[in-house]
């Protein structure tokens, strides 16, 4: 995977953000002054994670969105680092699952039929509205649909081979009531033993993603 510091100003605390499938460095808007350092993880065409850049931090918050929830749960449990809190948004440890994730027929159909046209349809469904889609496309990754297909194929193979990523501890899950990628009912089943908060949001919600990256205290408390 790619690991990129979106902000690196010598803070003692890091927000480690695992993006969803098909994303790039432009996912986040510029971060305001006073924000902790932020590292974005994306492009999961390989699932190798380098923990070396994290060694300097006194505490690390983890945020994961969409497929990033499974990726974080797969690569982080073996690392002895100063974890603080971990929040999930619109994703589950069972990303290919009829009851707790994306139904397998839909996931496999997306992979088998991916093209420029079907990618556009997926993004419309992901964003939930024309204004949200327009916003997303303004900073969509400069990546071909072929590279996104390759990434999705790697994820599908790894998920079916290794299974759910349930060894990582999440503190709270935010569930979008308008999510048509990870259905909200499936997310509620997946997180039945965890504190959850429903938000009026589609699968992609720029405001929620940005607030999580910025470590807004109202989102981090009450977990």
């Amino acid at each position: 995977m790619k690991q990129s510091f979106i902000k690196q100003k010598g803070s003692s605390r890091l927000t480690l953000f695992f993006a969803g499938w098909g994303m790039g460095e432009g996912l986040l808007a510029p971060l305001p002054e006073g924000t902790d350092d932020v590292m974005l993880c994306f492009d999961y065409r390989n699932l190798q994670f380098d923990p070396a850049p994290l060694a300097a931090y006194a505490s690390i918050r983890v945020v994961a969105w969409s497929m990033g929830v499974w990726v974080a749960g797969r690569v982080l449990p073996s690392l002895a680092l100063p974890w603080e809190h971990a929040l999930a948004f619109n994703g589950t440890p069972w990303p290919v699952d009829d009851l707790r994730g994306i139904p397998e027929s839909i996931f496999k159909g997306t992979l088998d039929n991916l093209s420029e046209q079907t990618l556009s349809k997926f993004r419309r469904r992901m964003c939930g509205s024309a204004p949200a889609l327009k916003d997303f496309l303004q900073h969509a990754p400069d990546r071909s649909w072929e590279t996104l297909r390759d990434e999705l194929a790697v994820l599908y193979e790894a998920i079916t081979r290794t299974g759910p990523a349930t060894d990582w501890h999440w503190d709270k899950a935010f569930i979008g009531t308008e999510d048509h990628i990870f259905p909200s009912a499936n997310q509620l089943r997946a997180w039945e033993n965890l504190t959850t908060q429903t938000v009026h949001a589609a699968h992609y919600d720029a405001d929620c993603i940005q607030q999580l990256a910025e470590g807004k205290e109202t989102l981090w408390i009450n977990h």
Side-chain angles (χ1 to χ4, degrees), residues 184-202:
S184 56
N186 285 13
Q187 292 187 58
L188 287 167
R189 274 189 288 267
W191 299 119
E192 60 183 357
N193 295 317
L194 187 73
T195 299
T196 60
Q197 181 177 327
T198 56
V199 291
H200 184 72

Side-chain angles (χ1 to χ4, degrees), residues 86-102:
L87 303 183
F89 174 55
N90 280 347
T92 78
W94 295 268
V96 183
D97 189 283
D98 289 349
L99 294 178
R100 295 170 294 184
I102 301 171

Side-chain angles (χ1 to χ4, degrees), residues 77-165:
S78 63
L79 303 178
L81 289 167
W83 308 118
E84 186 179 340
H85 303 315
L87 303 183
F89 174 55
N90 280 347
T92 78
W94 295 268
V96 183
D97 189 283
D98 289 349
L99 294 178
R100 295 170 294 184
I102 301 171
E104 184 164 13
S105 62
I106 294 176
F107 193 110
K108 193 67 165 55
T110 301
L111 173 59
D112 291 344
N113 299 300
L114 196 65
S115 65
E116 286 190 29
Q117 182 179 17
T118 59
L119 177 61
S120 294
K121 291 180 180 179
F122 174 87
R123 285 174 167 172
R124 286 198 296 271
R125 193 165 74 252
M126 175 183 79
C127 293
S129 70
L133 176 62
K134 181 179 180 181
D135 175 72
F136 172 76
L137 292 177
Q138 288 178 347
H139 51 89
D142 184 20
R143 298 175 55 190
S144 69
W145 69 267
E146 290 93 345
T147 67
L148 302 191
R149 180 190 58 197
D150 293 343
E151 181 184 356
L152 196 61
V154 167
L155 287 167
Y156 183 73
E157 188 280 329
I159 292 162
T160 53
R161 174 171 47 84
T162 64

Side-chain angles (χ1 to χ4, degrees), residues 40-112:
L40 184 67
C41 303
F42 59 98
D43 192 351
Y44 305 125
R45 282 178 286 178
N46 74 69
L47 294 171
Q48 296 177 352
F49 179 81
D50 179 12
L54 282 59
Y57 291 95
S59 62
I60 303 171
R61 291 170 162 178
V62 177
V63 177
W65 165 51
S66 189
M67 294 299 297
V69 174
W70 180 86
V71 175
R74 178 58 57 199
V75 304
L76 297 183
S78 63
L79 303 178
L81 289 167
W83 308 118
E84 186 179 340
H85 303 315
L87 303 183
F89 174 55
N90 280 347
T92 78
W94 295 268
V96 183
D97 189 283
D98 289 349
L99 294 178
R100 295 170 294 184
I102 301 171
E104 184 164 13
S105 62
I106 294 176
F107 193 110
K108 193 67 165 55
T110 301
L111 173 59
D112 291 344

Side-chain angles (χ1 to χ4, degrees), residues 157-209:
E157 188 280 329
I159 292 162
T160 53
R161 174 171 47 84
T162 64
T166 55
D167 292 336
W168 177 253
H169 172 72
W170 297 98
D171 293 292
K172 187 173 182 179
F174 293 90
I175 299 171
T177 57
E178 307 304 311
D179 192 336
H180 298 300
I181 306 300
F182 277 81
S184 56
N186 285 13
Q187 292 187 58
L188 287 167
R189 274 189 288 267
W191 299 119
E192 60 183 357
N193 295 317
L194 187 73
T195 299
T196 60
Q197 181 177 327
T198 56
V199 291
H200 184 72
H203 185 67
Y204 167 82
D205 186 285
D207 289 339
C208 286
I209 289 170

